[in-house]
Amino acid sequence: MARLAPLLLGALLLPALLAPSPRAQAQSAATPSAERQQELLYMVRQDCGSCHGLTMKGGLGPPLTKDALANRSALGLAVVILDGIPDTAMPPWRPLLTEAEARWIGEALLKGLPHETR
């Protein structure tokens, strides 16, 4: 039994160690601030636009217009934004964006990108 104690303790603690921190949970659930939304719009227009076209009508990547994305979900778009598409030019943006930011971008694309206010 003494040999099993560390294993049992580890099994009990593992879920707590793997769970996201409260800060990470709050960050991923929060809507980006108005200032951050403007930064994200700029990023989408410039960085995403370099492949998807500055007017989002397509280029190396497919179009990201409201009509072209009509059958997509914001969550599905967020997954592609965060993790990219293997063996294509679509890179993962997870190192630079939170899940909430990627979902916000997905929602903005589905509504039709608003103009930046800067």
Side-chain angles (χ1 to χ4, degrees):
M1 183 70 178
R3 283 194 238 195
L4 291 177
L7 291 174
L8 291 173
L9 182 60
L12 292 172
L13 291 176
L14 188 59
L17 293 173
L18 295 177
S21 70
R23 182 171 184 248
Q25 288 175 331
Q27 183 183 24
S28 67
T31 299
S33 69
E35 181 180 348
R36 182 63 176 153
Q37 289 177 17
Q38 290 305 307
E39 293 169 354
L40 294 171
L41 285 174
Y42 182 82
M43 184 197 81
V44 169
R45 295 245 186 242
Q46 298 304 309
D47 294 319
C48 303
S50 66
C51 287
H52 294 279
L54 294 176
T55 60
M56 300 296 135
K57 293 181 181 175
L60 173 64
L64 297 179
T65 61
K66 181 179 175 179
D67 292 338
L69 299 173
N71 295 324
R72 305 288 182 143
S73 71
L75 181 58
L77 293 172
V79 169
V80 171
I81 292 165
L82 290 169
D83 298 325
I85 301 175
D87 301 321
T88 72
M90 180 64 196
W93 289 88
R94 189 175 292 277
L96 303 172
L97 298 171
T98 67
E99 290 180 10
E101 290 170 340
R103 190 177 317 221
W104 184 87
I105 291 169
E107 290 168 358
L109 289 169
L110 291 175
K111 292 175 189 170
L113 276 185
H115 295 288
E116 301 152 52
T117 58
R118 350 168 157 190

